[in-house]
Amino acid sequence: FPMPIFVKKSNMATAKSELEFNFNEDRMRLRIRSLEQELEKIYLGGGKKRIDKLHEQGKLSARERIDLLLDLGTERIEIGALAGYGMYKEHGGCPAGGVVVVIGYVSGRQCIVVANDATVKAGAWFPITGKKNLRAQEIAMENRLPIIYLVDSAGVYLPMQDEIFPDKEHFGRIFRNNAIMSSEGIIQIAAVMGSCVAGGAYLPIMSDESLIVNKTGTIFLAGSYLVKAAIGESIDNETLGGASTQTEISGVCDYKVESDQECLATIRDLMSRIGHAEHAAYDRIAAEEPLQAAEKLYGLMPDERSKPYSTREILKSLVDGSSFTEYKEGYGKTILCAYARIDGWSVGIVANNREISKSAKGEMQMGGTATSQYVNEFKPQSVDTINGALPEGNVGLDQIMALMGK
């Protein structure tokens, strides 16, 4: 008879752990590839045919303009590429919210670039476009970053104008931010590289420096057809608000250029002449790679996010040298607080500890949730509203915030 095979329990546990890790890794890689495929579509804006049409007009696309403007080979980060995702399908969609926002370096100066995507409804503003532009301005104000507007927009998307204009956080706040940044000495440069119509026409006028591309850039409150309908006067758009008109007659723009390429080169020249910003007060040293490979994150994150996982193991794949110093390690174990370095920068970290832990009082707790007692301490004025409405034990923070009306 064949001898029976005995497998140690520890080996079985290891095999199960490896299987789960491999399963998580496969699922995460599939998700990342799916996201990359969606981003590839978003990066095309309104599609390749519309990009080709821009090229026929002698214009670059929004992303091509940004690539040519930013310093070659330097770090950059795009903000809000997924803004507008799945929205306004009945209107044909609004990839990236119809505007591309990137933080990068121009002539060695860190700045934020806001470029209208003329392939999406001729660069018209949807409600989400306004929100994204406002967010870019907020980032500029909070971090005192110069902001460069590459304008190519047909103005507000009229079928939705009632959702764009009226409120405090809507389209009009952009001009209020223009004024605030001007008063605080935050550099604003606007390049009119296509249409600049209606309310959007105020933006280059309120910027510190404004450029306009000859034969493609125009600035006016209403185009020639509306002028004809309103007062019966026949006039072409170039005479109404083209580069010659706005640089030689009205004086609205400061620089007349002949192409997108010359326009972007002029912006780079202007940026090279401004002073460098003060360095951040945070300490930075030479960066060090994590000892644990970043790719290990794919397997560490469970496919089902309700399952516990080790936040400490996650940090080991993120922070320099996989080294961090925990703050109050034994207190409030559902939250992990630590000091570490990422890319050489000294940072503080606050993370939900998704492992099941036991408090000093013997209570079982899990990060990412809060007890009803905690909620009552957190917002005592809401006790009458939420008492009795929360289930026993732990509840998700999203449930809590919903009950609080947040």
Side-chain angles (χ1 to χ4, degrees):
F1 295 99
M3 294 293 290
I5 298 173
F6 297 96
V7 180
K8 289 184 179 181
K9 187 175 180 181
S10 59
N11 291 342
M12 291 177 66
T14 301
K16 183 179 178 182
S17 174
E18 288 178 356
L19 283 172
E20 186 173 0
F21 182 94
N22 293 337
F23 174 76
N24 292 339
E25 183 179 25
D26 290 342
R27 295 285 292 175
M28 182 62 77
R29 288 185 182 276
L30 284 172
R31 285 193 177 99
I32 290 172
R33 183 55 194 146
S34 176
L35 175 60
E36 289 172 342
Q37 289 173 336
E38 291 300 322
L39 286 171
E40 286 167 8
K41 295 176 188 175
I42 289 169
Y43 294 156
L44 288 174
K48 192 174 185 306
K49 288 183 179 178
R50 292 182 183 174
I51 294 174
D52 291 341
K53 189 174 180 180
L54 285 181
H55 292 166
E56 290 170 7
Q57 298 169 355
K59 298 166 66 176
L60 300 173
S61 71
R63 293 182 183 277
E64 289 168 340
R65 287 167 175 168
I66 291 174
D67 287 342
L68 198 57
L69 177 64
L70 296 182
D71 295 348
L72 189 64
T74 55
E75 294 179 352
R76 64 169 72 180
I77 181 171
E78 181 169 351
I79 306 296
L82 292 171
Y85 181 74
M87 298 174 70
Y88 318 121
K89 290 182 179 179
E90 67 277 20
H91 298 280
C94 188
V99 61
V100 184
V101 177
V102 174
I103 297 175
Y105 291 86
V106 177
S107 299
R109 281 77 172 170
Q110 190 176 45
C111 59
I112 185 162
V113 183
V114 180
N116 297 116
D117 188 346
T119 68
V120 181
K121 297 291 184 188
W125 289 58
F126 286 78
I128 193 66
T129 315
K131 288 180 181 291
K132 189 170 175 180
N133 273 266
L134 286 170
R135 181 63 188 130
Q137 288 184 320
E138 287 171 3
I139 292 170
M141 289 189 288
E142 288 166 359
N143 297 279
R144 298 194 62 81
L145 292 178
I147 184 166
I148 300 170
Y149 308 99
L150 305 182
V151 184
D152 194 347
S153 171
V156 166
Y157 185 60
L158 293 178
M160 303 186 74
Q161 62 179 316
D162 61 323
E163 299 179 43
I164 298 172
F165 276 119
D167 211 345
K168 178 183 175 183
E169 301 293 336
H170 284 179
F171 183 86
R173 192 173 181 85
I174 288 169
F175 312 124
R176 172 258 191 195
N177 290 345
N178 287 143
I180 288 178
M181 283 190 280
S182 180
S183 69
E184 293 181 355
I186 299 171
I187 299 296
Q188 299 177 85
I189 299 175
V192 181
M193 309 179 79
S195 298
C196 185
V197 182
Y202 297 118
L203 187 145
I205 300 168
M206 298 184 71
S207 296
D208 299 300
E209 308 273 2
S210 60
L211 307 87
I212 186 167
V213 180
N214 194 24
K215 303 303 182 185
T216 57
T218 51
I219 303 174
F220 37 62
L221 294 181
S224 56
Y225 292 112
L226 191 53
V227 170
K228 176 70 173 177
I231 62 175
E233 181 179 344
S234 296
I235 188 171
D236 63 272
N237 283 340
E238 191 64 26
T239 304
L240 181 63
S244 296
T245 298
Q246 302 295 13
T247 56
E248 299 169 18
I249 298 174
S250 71
V252 163
C253 290
D254 308 308
Y255 307 90
K256 177 182 174 181
V257 293
E258 295 301 321
S259 66
D260 281 11
Q261 290 82 352
E262 184 185 349
C263 182
L264 298 168
T266 304
I267 295 172
R268 289 184 54 80
D269 178 68
L270 292 171
M271 286 294 295
S272 73
R273 299 175 189 280
I274 68 172
H276 286 275
E278 293 182 13
H279 291 293
Y282 309 107
D283 181 60
R284 191 182 192 188
I285 60 174
E288 183 181 347
E289 288 294 319
L291 299 180
Q292 183 168 281
E295 288 76 12
K296 194 171 181 181
L297 289 169
Y298 296 150
L300 290 172
M301 297 296 294
D303 181 55
E304 295 179 28
R305 293 304 167 83
S306 58
K307 289 185 176 181
Y309 58 86
S310 173
T311 304
R312 290 176 176 84
E313 286 299 309
I314 298 292
L315 291 183
K316 287 178 183 177
S317 292
L318 290 176
V319 303
D320 289 9
S322 300
S323 174
F324 53 93
T325 302
E326 283 197 50
Y327 172 77
K328 291 192 174 182
E329 181 179 355
Y331 180 79
K333 295 180 180 180
T334 60
I335 291 289
L336 188 154
C337 299
Y339 299 110
R341 290 186 182 273
I342 296 178
D343 194 30
W345 288 103
S346 178
V347 298
I349 296 170
V350 179
N352 293 114
N353 180 18
R354 292 291 296 179
E355 294 177 298
I356 297 173
S357 60
K358 184 183 287 188
S359 72
K361 296 180 180 179
E363 299 168 331
M364 301 300 292
Q365 298 176 338
M366 181 172 179
T369 63
T371 62
S372 54
Q373 290 91 339
Y374 166 79
V375 175
N376 289 341
E377 292 173 7
F378 176 73
K379 194 168 183 183
Q381 62 267 39
S382 298
V383 170
D384 292 338
T385 306
I386 64 175
N387 253 353
L390 294 175
E392 291 298 320
N394 292 344
V395 293
L397 288 177
D398 53 343
Q399 294 173 276
I400 295 167
M401 294 307 174
L403 287 164
M404 288 182 174
K406 291 287 186 185

